[in-house]
Amino acid sequence: MQWTGDYLAAGVTSITMDVLNTTAGGEDLELRVMLFCDVGTVFTSTLATVVGVNDGWTTISFDISESALTRVSGSLSYDDSLTGVNRLLIRHQPGAPAGPGGAAELPGGLMGLDNIRAVPTPGAVAVFVLGGALAGRRRR
C-alpha cells in the first residue's frame, strides 16, 4: 500500500534503491520500474538500468518523469496515470520496453533490493512540511 497513490501531488520524481546482483550465470541485470495505474494503464522505464553481477550493493535511481517512461498498456495520459498509481514493480527486462507479461526470465541466482525510496523534488518537500504545519496549527 505504501507505493500507491498520487505521485504527482507528492512530487515524486524518482525511485531509488540499493540492488545486489548475484546471478548464477554471471549475467547483468537490466532493471526497469513499472508503474501500474488506474484503468489498466502501465508505464515502464524507457531505458533499463544495468546492474553488474557481483558488484556488491549498488545504489540505483529510476527517473519517473514523463520523458523517462514509456506507456506500454492502456490509454491514460502520464499526468492522469500518475495521480492514481496502484502498484510498483521492479523487474529484469532487457531489450525494448514491454508491457506486463513481456519480461525475460530472471537469470538463476539472487537479486537483493533494499532501501527503496520515493524521492520528491526539494520544493515538494517544503510544500508538504508547510502544509502539515498549517494543518496542525488549525487544529489548536
Side-chain angles (χ1 to χ4, degrees):
M1 292 300 296
Q2 78 183 51
W3 296 103
T4 64
D6 188 339
Y7 281 40
L8 289 182
V12 177
T13 58
S14 64
I15 306 291
T16 64
M17 66 194 66
D18 296 327
V19 180
L20 178 65
N21 174 7
T22 59
T23 54
E27 298 176 56
D28 290 343
L29 292 175
E30 296 183 46
L31 300 179
R32 296 178 194 269
V33 64
M34 292 189 84
L35 300 170
F36 291 77
C37 309
D38 292 337
V39 196
T41 299
V42 180
F43 281 85
T44 191
S45 306
T46 300
L47 301 174
T49 299
V50 177
V51 178
V53 68
N54 297 322
D55 281 349
W57 285 98
T58 303
T59 301
I60 64 171
S61 181
F62 294 105
D63 178 359
I64 62 165
S65 65
E66 185 172 8
S67 62
L69 297 176
T70 299
R71 185 177 53 219
V72 292
S73 180
S75 60
L76 289 181
S77 70
Y78 171 84
D79 287 345
D80 289 341
S81 295
L82 267 68
T83 60
V85 175
N86 56 45
R87 189 170 82 173
L88 173 92
L89 175 71
I90 309 301
R91 72 175 184 175
H92 168 68
Q93 198 255 304
E105 264 188 53
L106 187 64
L110 298 174
M111 175 179 72
L113 299 176
D114 198 9
N115 301 317
I116 302 170
R117 299 171 301 281
V119 180
T121 59
V125 173
V127 168
F128 284 119
V129 170
L130 179 60
L134 292 174
R137 205 170 164 184
R138 286 184 183 167
R139 292 182 194 165
R140 293 181 189 178

